[in-house]
């Protein structure tokens, strides 16, 4: 049996074309410690650099996603930008990311799940944004991402009340994409990842980049042209058309990790 880390850890399990990252600190409902926050950027760099990995799934150990920051380390966490760097590492991953959520998804857990492209949650899931219980103000970058995802009114409600909401409410406000029985959440996320991994990664990564830049208002003609040049130089379109005409499954081969910048 693998020993339980006293300070928590992030574990990486490669399953075919999917990287499964597990937030593992079950003694504190997977609350994030300073070493755990610090581990995210390098871990995501490893995932991005591996051309065989096409999709990333984030989950939590022992029935919870993440209860946010470890309050016992709050002074240390507030004294650095590791949480923001962690959220940004997840959000800036050019490959599609899926959060598989059960149990507690609170504070930094909400922000990490919100940094993913899709969220699948279990019926037991509970979501909350509690800085008003602690006299804190969240950093603007991950907070802005939450506003873009669920809107200013829902964000204010969660912060002002600091209350926990269930999965049904989370789905209603647009935070959760699918709400399922707890025991099938991870299975569904991995199956969805496997399905996405079979599609054209050029199409998927280009769309992720373009949509994110549209939302950020940073999309330029030059960026669009760069992606169209990728299409022109890739065999994916010819393969997709051929597979459609021949009534067979496509075998896409583009495995770049997006465009720099």
């Amino acid at each position: 049996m693998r020993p339980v880390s006293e300070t928590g850890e992030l574990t990486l399990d490669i399953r075919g074309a999917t990287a499964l990252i597990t937030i593992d600190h079950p003694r504190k409902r997977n609350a994030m410690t300073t070493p755990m926050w610090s581990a995210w950027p390098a871990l995501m760099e490893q995932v991005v650099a591996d051309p065989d990995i096409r999709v990333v799934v984030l989950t939590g150990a022992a029935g919870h996603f993440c209860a946010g920051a470890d309050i016992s380390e709050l002074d240390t966490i507030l004294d650095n930008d590791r949480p923001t760097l962690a959220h940004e590492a997840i959000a800036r991953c050019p490959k599609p990311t899926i959060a598989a959520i059960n149990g507690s998804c609170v504070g930094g857990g909400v922000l990490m799940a919100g940094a993913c492209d899709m969220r699948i949650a279990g019926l037991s899931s509970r979501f909350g944004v509690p800085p008003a219980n602690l006299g804190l103000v969240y950093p603007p970058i991950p907070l802005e991402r939450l506003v873009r995802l669920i809107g200013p009114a829902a964000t204010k409600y969660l912060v002002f009340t600091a209350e926990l909401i269930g999965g049904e409410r989370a789905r209603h406000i647009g935070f959760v994409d699918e709400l399922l029985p707890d025991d099938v959440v991870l299975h569904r996320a991995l199956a969805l990842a496997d399905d996405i991994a079979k599609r054209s990664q050029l199409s998927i990564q280009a769309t992720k980049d373009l949509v994110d830049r549209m939302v950020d208002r940073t999309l330029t003609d030059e960026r669009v042209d760069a992606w169209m040049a990728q299409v022109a130089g890739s065999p994916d379109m010819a393969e997709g058309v051929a597979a459609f005409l021949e009534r067979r499954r496509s075998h896409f081969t583009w495995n770049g990790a997006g465009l720099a910048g």
Side-chain angles (χ1 to χ4, degrees), residues 46-164:
Q46 178 183 344
V47 166
V48 171
D50 189 336
D52 293 327
I53 294 174
R54 294 187 162 206
V55 187
V56 183
V57 173
L58 273 59
T59 194
H64 292 282
F65 184 73
C66 175
D70 188 335
I71 299 300
S72 68
E73 295 188 357
L74 194 56
D75 288 343
T76 301
I77 292 169
L78 290 175
D79 212 25
N80 61 67
D81 57 357
R82 290 186 182 94
T84 296
L85 293 175
H87 298 138
E88 284 298 283
I90 298 168
R92 299 302 179 191
C93 176
K95 302 177 181 183
T97 51
I98 304 170
I101 304 164
N102 278 326
S104 297
C105 181
V106 179
V110 167
L111 300 182
M112 284 191 292
C116 293
D117 298 307
M118 290 171 279
R119 284 152 295 280
I120 298 172
L123 294 171
S124 74
S125 57
R126 294 292 180 270
F127 303 85
V129 185
N133 278 342
L134 301 168
L136 303 178
V137 177
Y138 278 162
I141 292 176
L143 186 62
E144 181 186 14
R145 186 168 294 110
L146 185 62
V147 172
R148 293 200 305 260
L149 182 61
I150 64 174
T155 299
K156 289 176 182 177
Y157 181 92
L158 290 177
V159 174
F160 292 0
T161 66
E163 73 175 24
L164 295 178

Side-chain angles (χ1 to χ4, degrees), residues 100 183-192:
D183 60 352
V184 301
V185 168
L186 183 56
H187 175 78
R188 168 58 179 157
L190 292 172
L192 182 60

Side-chain angles (χ1 to χ4, degrees), residues 121-127 165-172 176 179:
L123 294 171
S124 74
S125 57
R126 294 292 180 270
F127 303 85
I165 63 171
E168 197 64 60
R169 178 73 182 276
R171 182 170 64 174
H172 176 73
V176 168
L179 187 63

Side-chain angles (χ1 to χ4, degrees), residues 168-208:
E168 197 64 60
R169 178 73 182 276
R171 182 170 64 174
H172 176 73
I173 65 176
F175 188 77
V176 168
D177 297 297
E178 296 184 24
L179 187 63
L180 303 169
D182 291 3
D183 60 352
V184 301
V185 168
L186 183 56
H187 175 78
R188 168 58 179 157
L190 292 172
L192 182 60
D194 185 59
D195 187 52
I196 292 172
K198 296 172 184 174
R199 312 301 178 187
S200 168
Q201 298 307 295
L202 173 54
S203 297
I204 290 169
Q205 291 192 27
T207 299
K208 175 171 180 173

